[in-house]
Amino acid sequence: MPRTLVFCEYDNLGIKKGTQELLTLVQKIHIDSFALLLGNNGFNFAPLIEQLGTFGVKNVFVCQNEILKYYNPESFTQALNLTVESCKPELILASSSMMAKDLFPRLAAKIKTGVVSDCNSLEITTEKVVVTRPLYSGKCTAQVDFLNSPIKVVLMRANQLPIEKAQTPSSPKVNTLSLPPLDLKTTVKSIVQGTVGKVDLTEANIIVSGGRGLGGPQNFKLLEDLASVLGGAVGASRAVADAGWVPHSLQVGQTGKTVSPTLYIACGISGAIQHLAGMSGSKVIVAINKDPEAPIFKKATYGIVGDLFEVVPLLTEEFRRILT
Amino acid sequence: MRIYVCVKQVPDTETKLKLKEDSTGIDVAGIKWIMNPYDEIAVEEALRIKEAKGGAANVTVVSVGPKSRITDCIRSALAMGADDGIAIDTAYEIDPFATAHLIHAALKKETSVDLILTGKLAIDDNCSSTGQALAEYLGIPHTSVVSKLTLQESGALAEREVEGGSREIVELRLPCLIAVNKGLNTPRYASLPGIMKAKKKPIKECTGSELGGDTFLKIKYSHFQLPAEKPPVKLIQGDSAQQAKELCRLLKEEAKVF
Ligand SMILES: Cc1cc2nc3c(=O)[nH]c(=O)nc-3n(C[C@H](O)[C@H](O)[C@H](O)COP(=O)(O)OP(=O)(O)OC[C@H]3O[C@@H](n4cnc5c(N)ncnc54)[C@H](O)[C@@H]3O)c2cc1C
């Protein structure tokens, strides 16, 4: 079995779900593995380490430094490189998040290996690691073979694998790593918080998405209400992002985000091929549209031909009733 | 100032995709190729930087791939207004790491490189790897998903999107690589005189094997598959209240989402 390093992402709520999926997998197949946490000096990692223990993690590398307070491709690449040198993994796993997709190609270039992002299946056996990923806007999938890659780096899309805690929690052994001083050519000057505390679309398990059928920005409230009852996030088509009804960060599709939730509810979205490119990897798709000919129905699991202004509030009520 | 823009040709999304019979790849016959939309934004940004400097910059477009495809792609950037091109012809399948290596080798031959622009990803494989790998090979800083860019005396100031819709302002020393996102600008259309002029602009041609060949390949795709046929949509009947109720039931009991 390949010696495996899991790069852990976390937020105020703890280890992120995408990472939890990978920790579950690694623990289930009894692989020789390490988890890595990066963060600022003085950051209290104890709760996160305890959470890693609930997934049966035995070894944790922790690297703390003020230049790791915010994501910076240079300092993070160095910290990962240092970890790789200490634990000599054959496989590195991380969630295919926006940060990971920026970071790991740089790390891979540094350690002379390759990286595969957006993977939607992963199988690890004693002989090999088999991964597949979508290509051409989800119009096909392919298996990815590593060539001349001493270390395989795999970035998994969120919501592809189950999350399960270990039967008996472990108390992880903590190894600290210290980063030498670096002359950084990149500085993070400031961060403008967006939707604080909300999950990113790429990680959301449930997405309620709206298109031009919503008629105007004021009506997105309907979708926010439904999303909040479902514990999901709100997405949008390009038509409404371009119209300025919602920020571009909510756009799903070929020139927006690629999402892979368990449930995607498309309200007043026609289902243009560029929109489908971003969401056809969703497990269950619901389409609510007043036009029975709308292309979105070809991709949907369940469809309601009707007026979203009537259907959506009723759905919110019904879900509130059955879920709470 | 010397600006380099990396561009790629990708199948138009509207193109219907067919696989080769042996599942080793896609059937490229009949595909309509377009410049990767994010790369178009990168070309536009380079041109705007040049214009803001009163023309005191040179914009070179670099592309790696089969010769006819990359030449088309470079010509369309030249028609938009770029100055010259570098075409790196590869007859074999390449990956982002080999691409980055070849561009690195080609740029090493240039007198100076101040700024590299490229799209945040190519819409064919969605890898978003080439830019970051190229920056690492060149030993220069990078940032990606950039939707606002300002050049200053000391470096570049970039605004980028991060998780959860937050935005980050990052400062990079030059030379650096910027991978651009939508929202940065709206690319111009090539004018007719632009298209005519582009035909005479110089394109330096070289081959992948001259620059190191396929020894840098790190990943390769196999076992291509079309998605499984989706069963037809289940349309839910009744009035709105009945539809809402039935949908909740199906999601809970049949699809087991909850
Ligand atoms: C290069 C390129 C890239 C693109 N990238 C993207 C992308 O990333 N993401 C993306 O989404 N698009 C993208 N597009 C645009 C795409 O082609 C479509 O124009 C866009 O997705 C349409 O958005 P829409 O479905 O909201 O609007 P429309 O196509 O106008 O559809 C609105 C729908 O709402 C329905 N409707 C209206 N009123 C109601 C009501 N009261 N109740 C229920 N239904 C109602 C209508 O029947 C209709 O089906 C791209 C296009 C190009 C050329």
Side-chain angles (χ1 to χ4, degrees):
Chain A
M1 287 285 191
R3 205 175 150 82
T4 302
L5 177 68
V6 180
F7 175 74
C8 301
E9 286 191 55
Y10 56 88
D11 57 20
N12 310 342
L13 303 172
I15 303 288
K16 287 199 184 179
K17 271 179 45 209
T19 302
Q20 293 186 21
E21 294 177 29
L22 298 169
L23 294 170
T24 305
L25 174 81
V26 161
Q27 176 237 320
K28 267 200 205 148
I29 55 175
H30 305 290
I31 235 175
D32 185 13
S33 67
F34 303 82
L36 172 64
L37 289 166
L38 303 180
N40 197 2
N41 267 336
F43 184 84
N44 177 18
F45 276 113
L48 292 176
I49 293 169
E50 194 186 316
Q51 197 186 354
L52 290 176
T54 64
F55 289 95
V57 171
K58 297 198 179 63
N59 283 291
V60 184
F61 280 94
V62 175
C63 187
Q64 293 191 264
N65 196 302
E66 58 189 13
I67 55 173
L68 299 173
K69 179 174 181 195
Y70 300 116
Y71 169 63
N72 180 326
E74 286 180 83
S75 57
F76 272 55
T77 299
Q78 292 294 348
L80 263 150
N81 187 37
L82 199 67
T83 317
V84 168
E85 281 171 0
S86 329
C87 85
K88 309 237 174 320
E90 294 154 279
L91 175 66
I92 301 178
L93 298 178
S95 183
S96 200
S97 65
M98 288 182 78
M99 185 221 278
K101 287 182 81 168
D102 185 82
L103 167 64
F104 282 93
R106 180 147 202 147
L107 174 79
K110 185 166 188 72
I111 61 177
K112 303 191 167 44
T113 195
V115 54
V116 191
S117 57
D118 276 330
C119 298
N120 56 2
S121 85
L122 166 64
E123 200 188 311
I124 306 172
T125 64
T126 16
E127 298 87 49
K128 56 183 187 209
V129 176
V130 184
V131 287
T132 61
R133 76 191 296 276
L135 285 170
Y136 301 103
S137 315
K139 286 181 191 162
C140 68
T141 58
Q143 187 177 312
V144 193
D145 306 314
F146 285 89
L147 309 170
N148 318 309
S149 295
I151 304 173
K152 301 177 170 72
V153 185
V154 175
L155 309 184
M156 274 300 282
R157 273 196 188 167
N159 308 313
Q160 306 299 310
L161 302 165
I163 295 176
E164 278 163 43
K165 300 264 165 90
Q167 271 159 354
T168 37
S170 57
S171 30
K173 178 171 170 291
V174 178
N175 313 273
T176 49
L177 292 167
S178 52
L179 207 55
L182 297 172
D183 172 31
L184 296 176
K185 296 172 188 147
T186 316
T187 332
V188 179
K189 302 292 263 190
S190 62
I191 295 182
V192 188
Q193 286 293 341
T195 40
V196 189
K198 286 197 188 156
V199 279
D200 197 71
L201 278 181
T202 52
E203 279 170 54
N205 193 37
I206 295 177
I207 296 174
V208 182
S209 222
R212 208 165 358 219
L214 264 108
Q218 69 285 358
N219 298 327
F220 266 78
K221 177 82 175 57
L222 289 176
L223 305 191
E224 279 158 22
D225 291 346
L226 177 55
S228 102
V229 170
L230 297 174
V234 172
S237 73
R238 169 163 160 182
V240 308
D242 279 356
W245 298 359
V246 298
H248 273 299
S249 57
L250 298 193
Q251 183 188 320
V252 171
Q254 182 195 292
T255 48
K257 299 222 163 118
T258 307
V259 299
S260 53
T262 305
L263 175 61
Y264 188 91
I265 306 182
C267 310
I269 292 180
S270 60
I273 192 150
Q274 295 91 351
H275 188 81
L276 301 177
M279 46 64 80
S280 58
S282 312
K283 285 205 190 73
V284 177
I285 297 171
V286 172
I288 303 171
N289 197 304
K290 65 178 184 191
D291 174 10
E293 301 297 319
I296 188 76
F297 287 118
K298 292 210 178 68
K299 280 279 167 197
T301 325
Y302 302 113
I304 292 181
V305 178
D307 185 351
L308 73 90
F309 292 103
E310 271 182 38
V311 177
V312 173
L314 288 166
L315 261 182
T316 308
E317 275 323 301
E318 184 63 16
F319 275 122
R320 188 172 282 138
R321 199 177 64 76
I322 65 167
L323 295 178
T324 52
Chain B
M1 174 172 230
R2 299 199 65 95
I3 308 173
Y4 291 80
V5 189
C6 309
V7 300
K8 183 182 192 182
Q9 249 200 354
V10 296
D12 186 350
T13 355
E14 306 277 354
T15 302
K16 202 161 158 52
L17 202 73
K18 276 189 296 202
L19 299 185
K20 286 188 197 158
E21 260 166 36
D22 60 2
S23 304
T24 55
I26 60 161
D27 182 356
V28 292
I31 286 185
K32 181 179 167 222
W33 298 90
I34 57 166
M35 193 193 297
N36 178 38
Y38 293 107
D39 298 345
E40 265 181 5
I41 298 171
V43 173
E44 176 64 32
E45 195 63 16
L47 298 176
R48 290 190 188 189
I49 293 170
K50 178 174 172 166
E51 284 155 10
K53 290 183 171 300
N58 188 81
V59 178
T60 305
V61 188
V62 191
S63 190
V64 184
K67 191 168 168 184
S68 63
R69 236 187 267 165
I70 58 177
T71 310
D72 268 5
C73 195
I74 292 172
R75 289 270 178 235
S76 33
L78 296 179
M80 285 169 74
D83 298 294
D84 47 46
I86 302 177
I88 307 169
D89 176 22
T90 53
Y92 46 87
E93 281 293 321
I94 46 168
D95 73 358
F97 296 91
T99 305
H101 258 294
L102 295 174
I103 298 176
H104 171 227
L107 293 185
K108 278 285 156 205
K109 297 186 177 174
E110 299 292 295
T111 43
S112 70
V113 176
D114 300 303
L115 178 65
I116 305 175
L117 294 167
T118 189
K120 73 162 181 186
L121 55 79
I123 61 166
D124 52 357
D125 60 17
N126 247 46
C127 277
S128 85
S129 293
T130 308
Q132 294 92 308
L134 174 60
E136 177 63 29
Y137 295 144
L138 286 165
I140 63 172
H142 85 267
T143 189
S144 65
V145 204
V146 169
S147 53
K148 209 181 228 173
L149 181 64
T150 323
L151 287 188
Q152 301 167 321
E153 203 56 44
S154 53
L157 207 57
E159 186 174 314
R160 63 188 300 262
E161 186 196 324
V162 293
E163 262 93 6
S166 298
R167 319 195 70 78
E168 229 177 46
I169 314 281
V170 185
E171 191 175 49
L172 299 100
R173 267 187 244 157
L174 294 179
C176 66
L177 183 142
I178 308 281
V180 306
N181 196 12
K182 231 188 93 191
L184 181 62
N185 59 47
T186 309
R188 68 193 68 187
Y189 289 104
S191 63
L192 198 56
I195 296 169
M196 298 312 288
K197 263 197 233 155
K199 292 187 177 147
K200 296 203 190 76
K201 289 182 178 170
I203 299 180
K204 241 185 259 174
E205 291 183 353
C206 50
T207 66
S209 35
E210 279 163 27
L211 295 172
D214 59 3
T215 52
F216 304 116
L217 273 181
K218 297 294 180 193
I219 55 177
K220 191 173 163 31
Y221 296 112
S222 66
H223 301 83
F224 281 68
Q225 266 188 325
L226 295 175
E229 235 6 274
K230 247 195 146 112
V233 57
K234 261 196 193 167
L235 286 181
I236 300 168
Q237 309 299 334
D239 64 26
S240 298
Q242 288 164 331
Q243 287 173 322
K245 224 180 165 85
E246 177 63 0
L247 176 61
C248 291
R249 189 191 69 77
L250 287 168
L251 288 174
K252 197 163 175 224
E253 291 170 17
E254 188 179 83
K256 301 203 164 38
V257 174
F258 303 102

